[in-house]
Amino acid sequence: MYITFERFPMRALVLLALLAAPLAACGDKDGDSAISFSGNGTDGNFAIKVPGFSGNLKLPKLKLDASNVEFNGVHLYPGSTVSSFNLDASSEGDGDKGNGKVRIGFDSPADPATVRDWFAERLGKANFTLKAQGNSLIGTDDEKKPFRIDFEPAGTGKSKAIVTAGG
């Protein structure tokens, strides 16, 4: 599976790459090689943790919507906006590929069942194997890695959700 953030501001990507590249090369005495990056994008506050360094960054505010995020070509439900994201990566295990988990929170302008069914149809066509379980979709992506989306109501005719991929 691939997750893309389309039309993400180039200056933000360049800044993140410049900050993370030298830090990712560091190691600590305990051999911990986990990397974590998280933020909500709306207030410009981001947290980064790499071996030997952790800190908070203030970047330009970002507004990511349905057109900016996709999973194997499937964008977020129309009208959705990203409310949070978290990347936890590790170079340990799984051969040279490492393990990682991505979480993306988003708000949608439709009830949980409508958004769940919309994703089930489209992700199924993208070779995901998912089943509905209450207000969740649970299963695997096209690479047979864990994938789930948990939906909950967020007011009349609205929902919020968390996508968890990998792990």
Side-chain angles (χ1 to χ4, degrees), residues 89-162:
S90 171
S91 61
E92 301 295 321
D94 199 22
D96 294 330
K97 295 181 182 178
N99 297 314
K101 185 180 283 190
V102 175
R103 277 193 207 98
I104 300 171
F106 64 94
D107 300 315
S108 291
D111 64 86
T114 299
V115 181
R116 181 200 63 213
D117 294 346
W118 185 91
F119 270 108
E121 177 185 342
R122 283 154 183 82
L123 290 172
K125 291 177 183 176
N127 297 317
F128 286 58
T129 304
L130 301 168
K131 65 179 179 177
Q133 188 175 62
N135 276 341
S136 298
L137 287 175
I138 300 170
T140 58
D141 64 18
D142 63 322
E143 296 174 347
K144 307 299 179 216
K145 295 193 179 194
F147 188 90
R148 74 180 289 143
I149 308 176
D150 299 300
F151 304 91
E152 63 181 67
T156 305
K158 296 180 181 179
S159 60
K160 60 183 179 176
I162 300 281

